[in-house]
Amino acid sequence: MNVKGRNFLTLKDFTPEEIIGFLDLAAELKEKKKRGVPVDTLRGKNIALIFEKTSTRTRCSFEVAAHDLGMGTTYLDPAGSQIGKKESIPDTARVLGRMFDGIEYRGYGQEIVEELAKYAGVPVWNGLTNEYHPTQILADMLTIREHFGHLKDIRLVYMGDARYNMGNSLMIGCAKLGMHFVACAPEAYFPNQELVAQCESYAEESGGTITLTENVVAGTRGADVIYTDVWVSMGEPDQVWEQRIHDLSPYKVTAKVMENAGPQAIFLHCLPAFHDLKTKIGKEIQEKYGIEDMEVTDEVFESPQSKVFDEAENRMHPFNGVWGATVGAVCARIDVNPTILRAGRSKSEAGAFHVLQKGEPMEENTVLCGANAYEKKYYFNPDFGSLPQTIQDELHIMCVLFTEEIGGIFTVEFTPEGDLEFRTEALEADAMYDDIGGPLRIKELRREKEELFRSLELFYKVFFLGEDVEA
């Protein structure tokens, strides 16, 4: 998966394989975090977090994820930014794009994040808009896959107002990944028909289905996942509460709904949820309308079938994956042997990486990192972050040079004898002329490559073999 430099605005922009790639990387980074393995391979990078709509989970998950990767963050709330007020979106994008390595936006219309992406010159990520919420969907899919072990053929029922970001994005995600999406709501609350038609075309390719129904019993029968969200979205006027409560109360998630789905079903909610009277708004709604809950009962929310806090934690890990893949491409998995890499493929066909201790012999060849200029990709082993920082820096420089300047294919491996072995395939001189131009520049690049080899060999002898070497 090569998505370096790409925006993350809606899942419509990504193939099923790329979405699964984000999930695989998220799962890998989550597992490393649990084991205490550092993954801070994006040190020196900085990102801006624009929050026109505040959020507990989104801000915390984004900041922790960024810090785990070694990145700095600057949080801009409505009071701390002039976006759209004293400064236009194109101007804001061009200013921030020169200061930061990426920009996250959480706010209102999708057109705002699209315009940011158009002018920023760095990756822009959608943290939530009125229309789409792609980061939440990655968290949901990771949670579902962790529970069931797979995503294909999972039946997910979304209950309530399916017209906005959650209904839209869940429908897209399910359709792309071969799942069966059901919008269970009054007809007036069905998703936009144009988007439904687009998702039906995705589902036809993936083996999924799209169903819209007003019938709660038929819609939830046999469901694997029952999903809901608040009935009034952030930013909507208070006047809509009465109408929504009237229209959507029959679609509340209750114990009866979960029983109809079956014992295998889990409950998900992107939070916050109005399931009791322990919040200020919950108390106000109870006083005004005489109800103790809204979209889900407290009984369901606190039941063993509820996985909402697993889901909330998983807001963090997918964005580790998205940022790692789009900002630096240095967290991408590599278990690739030289033959596969030379063939221009990046599928896994080799074993795991073994971190050498000083003087420790190797049992088999293991790829440490690689670069493929033909595909404009460079790769690092999953445990790359465990290496000494000086080794990481040298390998990073080498891979970038091969991918973007020197050309050809390059791998670094440990041999059974514990040596560091370089394998390269430089482009022919004629090809280098086309991209770079001039024999002097070619000689300069070859000299840089030789110097990098010597530098890396020196670091290897010092850090892994414990030798005293004069610089």
Side-chain angles (χ1 to χ4, degrees), residues 137-405:
I137 304 313
L138 293 184
D140 298 336
M141 296 305 173
L142 182 62
T143 306
I144 294 167
R145 193 173 72 170
E146 287 175 344
H147 183 80
F148 291 101
H150 63 96
L151 292 172
K152 181 76 171 176
D153 291 328
I154 290 291
R155 179 179 171 86
L156 184 148
V157 179
Y158 182 81
M159 302 185 70
D161 190 346
R163 300 172 297 173
Y164 298 117
N165 48 37
M166 284 310 305
N168 291 343
S169 295
L170 282 167
M171 182 169 62
I172 294 167
C174 289
K176 290 261 187 177
L177 299 176
M179 300 166 66
H180 305 292
F181 175 81
V182 179
C184 187
E187 184 175 358
Y189 293 81
F190 284 173
N192 174 274
Q193 189 54 46
E194 182 179 349
L195 181 60
V196 171
Q198 190 174 14
C199 288
E200 286 175 338
S201 68
Y202 298 150
E204 186 175 353
E205 294 181 8
S206 70
T209 58
I210 304 295
T211 302
L212 310 179
T213 181
E214 294 184 284
N215 190 311
V216 173
V217 174
T220 61
R221 184 180 296 120
D224 298 300
V225 182
I226 300 293
Y227 200 119
T228 193
D229 190 11
V230 293
W231 291 343
V232 178
S233 297
M234 191 179 299
E236 291 190 280
D238 294 341
Q239 298 90 302
V240 304
W241 280 103
E242 184 172 1
Q243 184 68 46
R244 298 282 172 82
I245 291 171
H246 174 270
D247 294 345
L248 297 177
S249 287
Y251 298 89
K252 178 189 301 186
V253 180
T254 64
K256 186 175 181 180
V257 167
M258 297 303 295
E259 182 180 358
N260 185 57
Q264 81 292 338
I266 63 172
F267 170 72
L268 296 181
H269 191 305
C270 56
L271 302 182
F274 295 120
H275 61 97
D276 57 24
L277 302 178
K278 296 178 182 178
T279 64
K280 178 181 178 181
I281 294 179
K283 292 177 181 178
E284 291 175 352
I285 295 298
Q286 194 273 336
E287 292 172 359
K288 192 169 185 178
Y289 301 106
I291 56 176
E292 296 187 355
D293 50 42
M294 278 186 280
E295 72 274 9
V296 59
T297 64
D298 192 57
E299 180 183 12
V300 170
F301 188 88
E302 298 291 354
S303 72
Q305 288 176 289
S306 175
K307 305 301 176 184
V308 296
F309 296 109
D310 293 341
E311 179 187 14
E313 178 197 344
N314 280 342
R315 287 296 304 278
M316 173 172 55
H317 306 296
F319 236 72
N320 267 333
V322 170
W323 281 334
T326 59
V327 173
V330 297
C331 293
R333 177 182 293 277
I334 175 172
D335 292 321
V336 186
N337 65 41
T339 302
I340 297 301
L341 191 58
R342 285 193 175 85
R345 296 166 56 195
S346 57
K347 299 295 183 183
S348 174
E349 287 199 15
F353 171 62
H354 177 76
V355 180
L356 276 180
Q357 303 299 317
K358 289 184 179 179
E360 181 181 350
M362 283 293 297
E363 296 180 357
E364 60 183 5
N365 281 34
T366 307
V367 172
L368 181 62
C369 69
N372 187 331
Y374 304 115
E375 292 187 344
K376 297 297 182 184
K377 297 179 181 178
Y378 52 95
Y379 312 88
F380 292 84
N381 188 282
D383 286 326
F384 180 75
S386 299
L387 290 172
Q389 184 59 44
T390 45
I391 291 284
Q392 292 184 45
D393 292 342
E394 293 298 320
L395 288 175
H396 195 169
I397 292 170
M398 180 79 81
C399 286
V400 171
L401 281 173
F402 265 91
T403 305
E404 300 179 1
E405 293 192 54

Side-chain angles (χ1 to χ4, degrees), residues 65-83:
H67 295 159
D68 283 349
L69 291 172
M71 295 194 294
T73 61
T74 298
Y75 176 77
L76 299 171
D77 62 15
S81 168
Q82 297 298 333
I83 182 170

